[in-house]
Amino acid sequence: KVEKSMAKATPDGAKLNGNGSGEIKIRYSARSMAAQRKRLGLSAENMGKLFGVSGHTIYGWETGGSRPRNGQMPAIAAVRKLGKVEAAAIVESLSG
């Protein structure tokens, strides 16, 4: 999964929680998810491979029908830092 290949990434949009717990909060929007997939030139199925979910799940996230679980948010933040070539290479290795 992306978490392994992007373990050291600092999430875009991440902020420390104001209660001093050091918990990182990652922002998410359906429109942003669709824009990231388009930017990377990936199908919903291939985008799903990055997160370990189905293409149908990605479609649900993009349309606002559902939301990613909290455990998936670090991977979503890591994908924001990927370029087309990197994303394609990760998908290819996962399809292997």
Side-chain angles (χ1 to χ4, degrees):
K1 288 187 179 179
V2 175
E3 295 97 356
K4 292 179 184 176
S5 63
M6 300 296 295
K8 296 181 182 180
T10 302
D12 289 346
K15 296 183 178 182
L16 289 178
N17 195 350
N19 65 11
S21 68
E23 177 184 328
I24 294 178
K25 183 173 182 169
I26 301 167
R27 293 176 26 188
Y28 164 82
S29 79
R31 186 171 54 190
S32 175
M33 176 65 73
Q36 290 299 323
R37 183 169 68 84
K38 183 178 179 181
R39 180 182 65 81
L40 295 173
L42 297 175
S43 66
E45 180 181 346
N46 284 339
M47 186 77 153
K49 289 179 183 179
L50 293 176
F51 304 118
V53 300
S54 70
H56 185 74
T57 298
I58 296 296
Y59 180 75
W61 292 354
E62 291 178 352
T63 59
S66 61
R67 289 185 55 91
R69 294 182 178 164
N70 287 337
Q72 294 162 321
M73 297 307 285
I76 290 170
V79 166
R80 293 177 187 159
K81 294 187 176 283
L82 295 178
K84 280 186 177 185
V85 174
E86 293 169 308
I90 293 170
V91 169
E92 182 65 29
S93 70
L94 293 173
S95 298

